[in-house]
Amino acid sequence: MTIRVVSASDTYSNRASERIDFVVSEGGILISEFYNYPNPFSSLTESTILGFSHNRPGEDLDAVLVIYDLAGQLVDSRHYSIEESFSHVTLAEWDGAKNGNKLMNGIYLGKLSVRSLLDGSKNEQITKLIIVN
């Protein structure tokens, strides 16, 4: 842990100082691949499996998966706690539905945010999910 004191002053020479504690790590977590398989998929007959690969196996991770349509509207959001993760993580199956209703043909965007619980490093990636019914 590194401790630094930051000082600042305004245009009237009012000074303030604050102590900041932070951790410097050698390289943060990197998502090397974020995918869904099969892609494209038919939401009427199958689902798609979402997963990712990363560079910090063995660590506890928090992951948030959010799926949007191309208009930016939220379709689905899920949170995962992954203990002692492998370098390849399978998150979930997605059936291509919103509130139980199958979605129309189209391209959807999946955004994955992964954070290491060891040092707080974070990474994000986006992938396309294509539905063809």
Side-chain angles (χ1 to χ4, degrees):
M1 174 154 327
T2 302
I3 300 171
R4 295 285 186 234
V5 175
V6 177
S7 298
S9 61
D10 63 16
T11 56
Y12 298 104
S13 297
N14 297 314
R15 297 182 70 61
S17 297
E18 189 67 37
R19 177 184 149 165
I20 300 174
D21 302 333
F22 59 94
V23 175
V24 177
S25 65
E26 297 267 338
I29 189 164
L30 295 176
I31 301 169
S32 57
E33 180 183 27
F34 172 39
Y35 66 90
N36 68 299
Y37 179 82
N39 192 25
F41 72 103
S42 170
S43 65
L44 299 177
T45 59
E46 62 188 337
S47 57
T48 189
I49 297 173
L50 295 137
F52 69 99
S53 299
H54 65 94
N55 66 332
R56 308 270 290 265
E59 289 189 21
D60 295 343
L61 306 174
D62 267 342
V64 176
L65 171 65
V66 183
I67 299 173
Y68 299 98
D69 64 18
L70 287 182
Q73 299 299 310
L74 178 67
V75 172
D76 199 354
S77 179
R78 301 173 183 198
H79 178 264
Y80 303 93
S81 294
I82 306 158
E83 295 181 7
E84 298 180 6
S85 67
F86 293 104
S87 60
H88 176 78
V89 177
T90 300
L91 290 174
E93 274 189 57
W94 182 56
D95 62 359
K98 178 178 181 178
N99 299 325
N101 299 316
K102 297 293 182 177
L103 295 169
M104 298 186 319
N105 290 345
I107 298 173
Y108 297 83
L109 300 175
K111 178 182 174 185
L112 175 67
S113 300
V114 178
R115 184 175 63 89
S116 167
L117 297 180
L118 180 66
D119 64 3
S121 64
K122 184 177 178 182
N123 199 297
E124 297 180 335
Q125 248 189 44
I126 295 175
T127 193
K128 294 178 188 174
L129 304 116
I130 303 169
I131 297 178
V132 290
N133 293 325

